[in-house]
Amino acid sequence: MIFLVLSLVFSTIISQVTCLGEIIYALNAGGDSFTDSNGIRYRRDFLSDGVASDYGRSLDIKRVPAQDKLLYQTERYSPETFSYSISMPSNDAEYVLWLKFSEVWFNAPNLKVFDVALNDAIILKDLDIYANVGRGVAHDEIIPFQIRKNKLIVEGKSYPFNGEIKVEFIKGDLDNPKINAIVVMKGTPDQVPKLAPNEPEQPDDDDLLESELDEFEENEEENEQIKARRQMRKMQEKQEEVKKSSKKKTYEFEEEEVEDPYAADESSYLIPILVTLGAFIPILFCLCKLK
């Protein structure tokens, strides 16, 4: 009975490991040799290019079992493009390139962005780990490829193949390229164990209170700005009204007719007549006496 139970347990473990397919290569980038919860044995990283770092040990990596956190805590990064060359079997087959990442430094997207190439094929364009999952969270990229008649086939395109593949991490404009672990497996993507769902952290009560206070202060500031703009608008409208009123009075003054002071004075016409009569009457009187 005990032998039967042990056989079942052993067969279950073997099936869990063999369901992965044949592991061709596994590397713990920036770290020592290591065996994960799936039984995959990772070799030590001896690459001299770039920097081997275990800064991620300060973080509790999410989405993976406790035993596998170390794979995402150690890494290799470089201020320049760097690569790993991996020897491959000569027989034709289907393979999977399994790349493990975690962002352990930045707290925002668009700060670390880079490309990854398999031989001459760009397989990951503008990879932004934080934008995908956040900080301190495991992130896997699964890239299937084939070896057929001495050709490497990726996404339906054929590339030269000379018995090895080169996985290249290409420096971009935003910080340094990096990698946490690399696995090459003979098989298909459905044989790769999936990570646990990514559940973003819920902010605690203090964070919520601080966020609400910030929002309240922003609203208060916005309300004050609105009030100030309204008061300024009213002052401008009053100034416009004053200007319009002064212009109207000026126009009325300019249009007002100036009366002719001599137009209504009819005595100016009588003066010559009276002068003439005054001179004629004495002459007339003298003439009457002479008769």
Side-chain angles (χ1 to χ4, degrees):
M1 182 67 180
I2 296 175
F3 177 76
L4 179 59
V5 172
L6 291 175
S7 298
L8 288 172
V9 172
F10 181 75
S11 61
T12 301
I13 294 173
I14 292 297
S15 64
Q16 288 178 348
V17 174
T18 55
C19 75
L20 292 171
E22 181 184 355
I23 302 301
I24 306 299
Y25 177 89
L27 173 81
N28 179 23
D32 296 325
S33 57
F34 178 78
T35 301
D36 72 3
S37 60
N38 295 302
I40 301 175
R41 296 180 180 179
Y42 294 78
R43 65 183 68 188
R44 182 181 178 183
D45 185 4
F46 290 100
L47 190 68
S48 59
D49 295 340
V51 179
S53 171
D54 64 351
Y55 180 81
R57 287 177 181 268
S58 61
L59 301 178
D60 182 24
I61 305 298
K62 300 174 180 60
R63 298 184 73 190
V64 291
Q67 182 180 342
D68 296 343
K69 292 180 185 293
L70 183 64
L71 281 174
Y72 298 89
Q73 292 172 329
T74 60
E75 65 179 44
R76 181 169 295 279
Y77 69 88
S78 174
E80 304 293 338
T81 296
F82 68 100
S83 64
Y84 291 90
S85 294
I86 303 169
S87 298
M88 296 292 295
S90 58
N91 57 313
D92 294 353
E94 293 185 348
Y95 297 92
V96 171
L97 177 62
W98 180 3
L99 302 176
K100 296 178 179 290
F101 299 96
S102 66
E103 179 54 66
V104 298
W105 184 261
F106 291 112
N107 281 308
N110 300 318
L111 296 176
K112 181 191 290 292
V113 180
F114 58 94
D115 297 344
V116 181
L118 177 58
N119 287 17
D120 295 327
I122 299 294
I123 53 176
L124 295 175
K125 181 68 174 174
D126 296 331
L127 176 62
D128 186 336
I129 304 166
Y130 186 94
N132 279 282
V133 293
R135 183 172 184 259
V137 182
H139 176 66
D140 289 359
E141 292 284 353
I142 310 300
I143 299 95
F145 66 96
Q146 299 176 336
I147 304 297
R148 300 289 184 209
K149 297 179 180 179
N150 293 323
K151 294 289 185 182
L152 172 69
I153 301 173
V154 184
E155 296 180 349
K157 295 183 179 179
S158 180
Y159 299 88
F161 176 71
N162 59 358
E164 68 176 20
I165 60 173
K166 182 174 72 171
V167 184
E168 192 172 24
F169 302 89
I170 302 172
K171 166 73 174 177
D173 294 331
L174 301 175
D175 201 64
N176 306 317
K178 61 168 283 181
I179 181 64
N180 291 84
I182 302 173
V183 178
V184 178
M185 183 189 76
K186 183 178 180 180
T188 56
D190 59 342
Q191 294 178 277
V192 177
K194 302 298 186 291
L195 294 173
N198 184 26
E199 299 178 357
E201 286 188 2
Q202 297 296 329
D204 56 24
D205 293 339
D206 292 338
D207 291 337
L208 286 172
L209 179 60
E210 184 176 353
S211 176
E212 290 175 357
L213 288 173
D214 291 341
E215 185 177 356
F216 176 78
E217 290 176 356
E218 289 176 359
N219 290 336
E220 284 291 314
E221 183 178 355
E222 184 177 355
N223 290 336
E224 291 297 327
Q225 292 176 353
I226 292 173
K227 290 179 181 178
R229 286 197 296 268
R230 286 178 178 173
Q231 291 177 355
M232 183 65 71
R233 187 63 180 172
K234 287 181 179 179
M235 291 177 60
Q236 290 176 348
E237 289 177 353
K238 287 182 178 179
Q239 290 176 356
E240 290 295 328
E241 289 179 359
V242 171
K243 288 181 180 179
K244 289 179 180 179
S245 177
S246 61
K247 286 182 179 179
K248 185 177 180 181
K249 290 180 179 178
T250 303
Y251 293 151
E252 289 177 353
F253 178 77
E254 290 176 351
E255 291 175 359
E256 184 179 355
E257 293 183 0
V258 180
E259 295 182 358
D260 185 356
Y262 302 105
D265 190 3
E266 296 179 354
S267 61
S268 59
Y269 297 102
L270 297 176
I271 291 174
I273 297 173
L274 292 174
V275 171
T276 304
L277 290 175
F280 179 72
I281 290 173
I283 295 172
L284 183 61
F285 181 75
C286 292
L287 290 174
C288 290
K289 280 188 174 185
L290 291 175
K291 291 180 177 182

